[in-house]
Amino acid sequence: MKSISARQTGIIVFLTILANKILVLPSVMYEKSKADSIFALIAIFSFELLVLTIFLQVKKAHPDQNLKEILKQKVGVVVAKIVIFAFLIFFLFKTMLTYSVLYIYLKDLVYQDEFGFLALVCLFPVVNHAVVCGLRAMGRTFELFYYIVLVGVLFCLGIAFFTDISMPNFFVASPTEILNSGFTHIFAFGDYLALFLFIDKIKLRKGEGKKIFFFAFVGIFLVLSIFVVFYSKYQVTAFMHNNALADLLIFSVQFNAIGRLDIIAMLTIMTLGLFQLEIFQAAFCESFVQVFEKLSIKYAVAVFDILFFVIYLVIIKKYEIMLSFATDYLIYFAILTNVILPILIYALAHKHKKELSNEKSD
Amino acid sequence: MKKVIDAIKKYPFILIFVLILVVFTPYSLFSPGESRKRAVVIAIGLDKIENEYEISFLTFIPSPNQEFQQSNSVVSGKGSSVSEAVLDAQLTLGKDIGLSHAKTTVVNERMLEEDVSSSLDYLMRVVSLPENTVFICTNTTAKELLMATDSLEQNLGLKLDQLVSYNANEVYITDTSLEAFYKGYYSPTKSSLIGYIEHIKDSTQSEQAAPQNQSSSQGSGDSQKSSQTSSSQDGQQGVSDSSEQNSSAVSSGQSENEKQRGSLQGQSQILNKGDAVLLRDGQKVALLDVDNLNSINLLSNKRSLDSITITDVETEDGKKVDMTFMVKNKIVSVKTDFQNNIPLFVANINLGVQQSEIDTKAQKVKQNVQNTQITEEIAQKLEQKIKAEFAKVLQILRENKADVIGVYDSFFTHNRKEFLKFLSSLDDSESFLNDVVFMLNLKIQQDG
């Protein structure tokens, strides 16, 4: 089996942590709980780190089994497939959300006109190809572009310090508003649950879990920095800016003479968006293959494309509807996938491990 | 052939790549250039005339030429709403508008009689007007100012946004971008400052200047602090005429026909005195001059073009002279506190000043005044003058319930609990500036 290294896994974690959080999210969270949204963010990230710990423990207990095999042993094949099917749905809509956020950015800053069909035609062959090539090929590509993406994000952050910024006012929103803000946008989180679906393809040596945590902390640090700098720069007008990372590059009038540096944000965001779409589609296809065992990854890719085109272009139709769908309905589903399922997986895997150790001692 | 089919079977991505090329290459080759479909707008003017909006776009016309001159034209449209006016202008232009390169947004004073943000909303949200565009107000119409801008660029090589950026760097406490306007507008004090550029139409000079059709840079100047440019305002009347007939118009400072009509038109001047409009709730409440702005700037560490003139200073030989000092260095620390539930705004200001001019009132200067020491009398007079100027601007701010000096923010950041309690104790919390005690502790020293 073609596996990926701990470093490549870490980079996948890094890329997924940035997914859906560096463009629209700072703005929409500000609407709910002002700059105190950062506290909601810290709380969710703390829980996500716990989920990452759960993943590493499950991986340690079941180094060579995939998620279906782990669950099948304890709760039977039907429940195992239901759990994986839940992930399948989760990653299908996750891809749609990521695509919508990327599309809004490109439409606002690059094309001005609707170009939905063109975007799909350009993006999906590349994404499909990456998924068919497999996780190892994707992991190597991510490794190659990791520093480019990192420098791009840091550059956008750094440039923001050349304009007038001042610390935003904290402790303005009530705890209820902060909780509400986190809850409403919970679907934007839980992206590295994809790791549970790739669990058998990850090769981890003893002590390499730290590497994954390192990349997770880098991702969390960048997201928090983007939120803080964005709120410091825009303050009360943060709700008007839909593309946080790109808007950090917008200069005040004094700097107009330098010209537009948007291209750096654009390349960074497009690269990030493409990689995130690849990871989420790969997670969908992995779930699909585990649920429908007799079908290969190529069928999974074809089914994904058909579902995406039908649901997105025929039913949802507009990216704005996708965003409101994610905040109005998918949040309940996200509670299941982001909170309940990881705990359930941990409980089942841990129980199985205990039983095994009891059998050994008997 | 079999080999090709085998290769495609082995690498289906090739087929997809070829398909994309087949579908999109002819489309790309035969579709018209983007500049034919979309006009590049470099400045926007928004006027309200009676109950109608008129929007004017200063557009860049891409054309091959061997000179390093940009060819611009002003296109306008009218409508009962901003969106209708934009559509009308697009019809006149025969193109969609692209506002990504719009660096200046001008409104006339009439627009500021009502909440201007409602008029800007469409431009911001729907047609993506960038937030870093310079936002200014003018006394005549935005359209006329944009037309005069073209000649400003040709005569002085100066763009309107550069002119206002200079003000933003040297005169205003903040930049005057659309973003800065919105920051003030959405702040608890709902107050913001935007630049003010005066536009003067001088019809008496036009008949002498226009036949020559020459541009003269540097007008006589009403004020020493102002910068001016004057030029024949070609095509201005023509635009007005056609706009009345068609409710939209296209004009160009370049066309020969319009140059021939120049004799009929007035001479136009752009006058930058460094003034700014004080807005509250998006409406104009006062016009601040440079002295007002300098007083506001006193509380900021930001460098500004600040000169202070004091009169009747007694020299060593007993003569009375007027002296002008330039502020060369400034260190400001602001503290907020509550004493007996009274909010105190204390500004400790260290000023390093240098004498720049001495008016001896027609007497000969018999000593080197370059290094005049700051005597106690001079320091006292400077302090009195600064405090008097500050009191004037504070009065304007209090009267208009406008806080553009960050008093609210300072109290909210450093004394939040007491400040909120204080606000709730007021009948009208918006006029909280009336109850804040301001203390300026000035320390004036010779710079260097």
Side-chain angles (χ1 to χ4, degrees):
Chain A
M1 186 186 286
K2 286 180 178 176
S3 57
I4 55 170
S5 66
R7 182 181 159 77
Q8 287 164 348
T9 311
I11 293 171
I12 288 177
V13 170
F14 166 80
L15 291 170
T16 52
I17 282 176
L18 294 181
N20 302 317
K21 297 177 197 77
I22 56 171
L23 292 173
V24 184
L25 195 69
S27 165
V28 291
M29 282 185 85
Y30 188 88
E31 270 182 69
K32 297 256 179 210
S33 54
K34 305 285 178 276
D36 295 334
S37 309
I38 289 164
F39 300 125
L41 205 66
I42 290 170
I44 297 172
F45 277 141
S46 306
F47 182 78
E48 292 213 321
L49 287 173
L50 196 70
V51 174
L52 194 60
T53 315
I54 290 174
F55 165 77
L56 289 173
Q57 291 207 2
V58 174
K59 174 70 187 168
K60 198 177 168 187
H62 306 272
D64 302 317
Q65 288 173 302
N66 67 16
L67 187 61
K68 197 184 92 185
E69 287 162 353
I70 295 168
L71 295 174
K72 197 169 82 176
Q73 287 171 343
K74 200 66 222 164
V75 287
V77 71
V78 177
V79 177
K81 282 192 177 181
I82 290 171
V83 170
I84 294 164
F85 193 76
F87 280 124
L88 182 145
I89 303 289
F90 178 75
F91 282 107
L92 177 66
F93 284 110
K94 195 67 139 172
T95 319
M96 287 180 187
L97 181 68
T98 309
Y99 171 76
S100 301
V101 171
L102 183 65
Y103 181 78
I104 290 172
Y105 166 70
L106 291 174
K107 186 175 164 287
D108 274 3
L109 272 89
V110 187
Y111 284 91
Q112 309 283 317
D113 299 319
E114 295 288 346
F115 70 108
F117 182 69
L118 184 69
L120 288 173
V121 168
C122 292
L123 266 177
F124 272 76
V126 183
V127 176
N128 289 350
H129 183 67
V131 174
V132 171
C133 284
L135 201 61
R136 180 183 278 187
M138 277 165 57
R140 283 178 179 171
T141 314
F142 300 157
E143 217 172 352
L144 201 68
F145 281 89
Y146 169 67
Y147 284 111
I148 295 171
V149 170
L150 189 66
V151 168
V153 175
L154 288 173
F155 180 83
C156 296
L157 275 170
I159 286 290
F161 287 96
F162 286 96
T163 52
D164 286 342
I165 58 169
S166 55
M167 272 308 259
N169 284 320
F170 288 110
F171 307 107
V172 178
S174 67
T176 320
E177 284 172 329
I178 297 170
L179 279 174
N180 188 28
S181 168
F183 175 69
T184 314
H185 302 103
I186 191 85
F187 192 73
F189 295 85
D191 307 84
Y192 57 73
L193 291 172
L195 290 186
F196 282 101
L197 297 159
F198 306 142
I199 194 163
D200 56 324
K201 295 182 176 65
I202 295 167
K203 200 175 174 183
L204 278 185
R205 291 195 204 97
K206 202 178 175 185
E208 282 193 325
K210 283 178 196 165
K211 270 189 189 174
I212 298 176
F213 269 106
F214 170 75
F215 285 103
F217 278 116
V218 173
I220 289 170
F221 172 75
L222 286 184
V223 173
L224 285 174
S225 305
I226 290 167
F227 267 70
V228 172
V229 177
F230 177 72
Y231 290 157
S232 303
K233 181 168 175 168
Y234 289 107
Q235 306 225 354
V236 285
T237 56
F239 75 96
M240 294 167 70
H241 298 270
N242 281 338
N243 306 303
L245 187 69
D247 285 346
L248 289 181
L249 277 180
I250 293 179
F251 297 142
S252 63
V253 284
Q254 295 96 313
F255 285 91
N256 265 357
I258 296 175
R260 301 180 76 101
L261 289 174
D262 303 21
I263 189 77
I264 293 168
M266 205 180 293
L267 290 174
T268 309
I269 291 165
M270 284 171 78
T271 313
L272 270 170
L274 181 71
F275 289 168
Q276 286 155 0
L277 286 174
E278 287 177 4
I279 294 167
F280 297 146
Q281 191 182 355
F284 171 93
C285 293
E286 194 55 45
S287 324
F288 186 88
V289 172
Q290 288 185 28
V291 174
F292 307 99
E293 287 158 35
K294 289 179 183 171
L295 298 177
S296 71
I297 196 93
K298 284 180 184 172
Y299 281 97
V301 170
V303 169
F304 176 88
D305 287 353
I306 293 165
L307 282 176
F308 191 96
F309 275 73
V310 170
I311 296 173
Y312 199 84
L313 295 181
V314 181
I315 301 170
I316 295 177
K317 286 181 186 167
K318 288 207 71 129
Y319 53 86
E320 292 98 338
I321 298 172
M322 182 61 221
L323 293 188
S324 55
F325 184 60
T327 49
D328 294 342
Y329 302 104
L330 288 174
I331 46 174
Y332 304 104
F333 190 68
I335 295 290
L336 172 78
T337 50
N338 295 7
V339 182
I340 300 170
L341 288 185
I343 295 170
L344 183 78
I345 291 167
Y346 175 72
L348 293 174
H350 193 66
K351 199 175 174 187
H352 181 66
K353 194 185 165 189
K354 262 189 174 177
E355 282 172 4
L356 280 177
S357 57
N358 287 342
E359 278 172 22
K360 272 185 185 175
S361 59
D362 291 340
Chain B
M1 189 64 186
K2 201 185 169 189
K3 276 184 183 174
V4 175
I5 294 168
D6 286 344
I8 289 170
K9 273 185 181 174
K10 200 175 176 184
Y11 304 107
F13 196 70
I14 296 171
L15 184 67
I16 294 166
F17 182 67
V18 171
L19 270 174
I20 290 172
L21 281 183
V22 168
V23 172
F24 288 103
T25 309
Y27 174 77
S28 307
L29 286 174
F30 294 108
S31 61
E34 192 66 15
S35 61
R36 284 193 191 176
K37 290 193 290 184
R38 196 176 291 278
V40 181
V41 175
I42 51 177
I44 300 169
L46 194 56
D47 295 302
K48 197 166 188 185
I49 301 151
E50 292 170 2
N51 288 326
E52 224 177 19
Y53 289 98
E54 181 172 27
I55 194 154
S56 309
F57 298 120
L58 182 65
T59 54
F60 160 64
I61 305 161
S63 56
N65 66 55
Q66 290 185 325
E67 297 163 10
F68 294 99
Q69 266 194 349
Q70 188 171 301
S71 177
N72 297 330
S73 73
V74 177
V75 183
S76 62
K78 286 181 179 175
S80 56
S81 64
V82 177
S83 56
E84 270 184 26
V86 170
L87 191 66
D88 192 38
Q90 283 179 333
L91 287 171
T92 310
L93 195 62
K95 292 175 184 179
D96 285 342
I97 51 152
L99 299 184
S100 305
H101 298 274
K103 288 186 175 173
T104 315
T105 302
V106 191
V107 292
N108 69 348
E109 282 182 302
R110 172 89 170 77
M111 287 288 300
L112 299 178
E113 286 172 11
E114 295 163 15
D115 184 353
V116 72
S117 74
S118 56
S119 308
L120 293 171
D121 191 62
Y122 172 78
L123 295 173
M124 287 279 292
R125 289 177 201 274
V126 184
V127 283
S128 305
L129 176 64
E131 294 85 4
N132 59 343
T133 173
V134 167
F135 186 38
I136 51 174
C137 171
T138 188
N139 56 325
T140 55
T141 65
K143 182 180 176 177
E144 286 169 323
L145 187 81
L146 290 188
M147 292 168 81
T149 305
D150 206 26
S151 40
L152 175 78
E153 197 174 330
Q154 284 171 31
N155 297 326
L156 291 179
L158 193 65
K159 290 177 180 168
L160 193 59
D161 62 293
Q162 291 169 342
L163 195 69
V164 183
S165 294
Y166 180 76
N167 291 358
N169 283 329
E170 306 293 345
V171 185
Y172 307 149
I173 197 165
T174 173
D175 69 66
T176 62
S177 62
L178 204 54
E179 179 66 34
F181 160 72
Y182 274 112
K183 267 187 184 166
Y185 180 78
Y186 285 112
S187 71
T189 55
K190 303 167 191 171
S191 324
S192 37
L193 276 178
I194 66 167
Y196 184 81
I197 300 285
E198 210 170 313
H199 178 235
I200 300 168
K201 290 187 286 184
D202 188 353
S203 57
T204 55
Q205 290 174 23
S206 64
E207 288 180 11
Q208 295 164 2
Q212 296 167 359
N213 211 11
Q214 294 283 320
S215 302
S216 63
S217 63
Q218 294 302 334
S220 56
D222 290 350
S223 157
Q224 284 184 334
K225 289 168 186 172
S226 67
S227 64
Q228 287 191 24
T229 179
S230 60
S231 65
S232 56
Q233 187 54 58
D234 299 331
Q236 191 177 309
Q237 188 66 47
V239 168
S240 304
D241 290 343
S242 60
S243 68
E244 277 164 24
Q245 287 163 13
N246 306 327
S247 79
S248 59
V250 180
S251 72
S252 168
Q254 307 290 311
S255 90
E256 282 301 313
N257 287 340
E258 283 162 355
K259 282 182 181 176
Q260 283 164 10
R261 287 203 301 267
S263 58
L264 297 170
Q265 285 115 45
Q267 194 172 41
S268 178
Q269 294 181 337
I270 288 177
L271 183 64
N272 174 29
K273 293 195 286 185
D275 294 347
V277 179
L278 179 66
L279 299 171
R280 190 179 149 78
D281 275 326
Q283 294 177 5
K284 180 188 167 186
V285 288
L287 185 66
L288 302 180
D289 61 20
V290 173
D291 291 333
N292 296 147
L293 292 165
N294 280 335
S295 296
I296 290 175
N297 279 339
L298 197 67
L299 302 179
S300 160
N301 273 310
K302 199 178 161 188
R303 189 177 151 265
S304 63
L305 281 177
D306 199 357
S307 68
I308 309 156
T309 302
I310 47 174
T311 52
D312 296 333
V313 181
E314 201 171 302
T315 55
E316 285 174 9
D317 50 1
K319 288 169 186 166
K320 300 270 185 184
V321 295
D322 294 348
M323 287 179 172
T324 302
F325 292 87
M326 291 294 290
V327 176
K328 292 286 178 184
N329 272 311
K330 188 167 56 174
I331 301 168
V332 183
S333 70
V334 171
K335 281 180 187 169
T336 52
D337 200 6
F338 275 82
Q339 279 181 11
N340 301 325
N341 295 327
I342 297 167
L344 286 180
F345 186 90
V346 184
N348 297 313
I349 304 162
N350 284 350
L351 287 181
V353 297
Q354 198 176 64
Q355 189 179 32
S356 60
E357 205 175 329
I358 184 162
D359 183 355
T360 55
K361 297 178 179 172
Q363 296 167 49
K364 281 181 183 172
V365 181
K366 290 179 181 172
Q367 64 187 77
N368 185 357
V369 293
Q370 186 83 28
N371 299 314
T372 303
Q373 291 300 310
I374 306 292
T375 61
E376 203 173 306
E377 186 201 357
I378 291 174
Q380 205 175 10
K381 288 210 169 201
L382 282 171
E383 192 174 332
Q384 279 171 0
K385 173 92 181 193
I386 289 167
K387 285 185 175 173
E389 289 292 335
F390 184 76
K392 271 187 210 169
V393 77
L394 188 61
Q395 187 59 28
I396 296 172
L397 297 179
R398 279 177 168 163
E399 279 169 8
N400 296 297
K401 302 175 185 178
D403 169 24
V404 284
I405 47 182
V407 179
Y408 187 102
D409 285 342
S410 294
F411 277 107
F412 192 82
T413 308
H414 301 114
N415 313 78
R416 187 182 296 188
K417 208 174 173 182
E418 290 158 299
F419 185 60
L420 291 175
K421 195 178 161 190
F422 159 74
L423 285 181
S424 62
S425 70
L426 298 175
D427 292 334
D428 178 14
S429 62
E430 290 188 343
S431 54
F432 72 96
L433 276 180
N434 293 334
D435 296 276
V436 176
V437 176
F438 287 83
M439 287 172 69
L440 298 186
N441 298 326
L442 287 157
K443 194 176 174 187
I444 299 168
Q445 291 169 322
Q446 175 84 23
D447 180 58

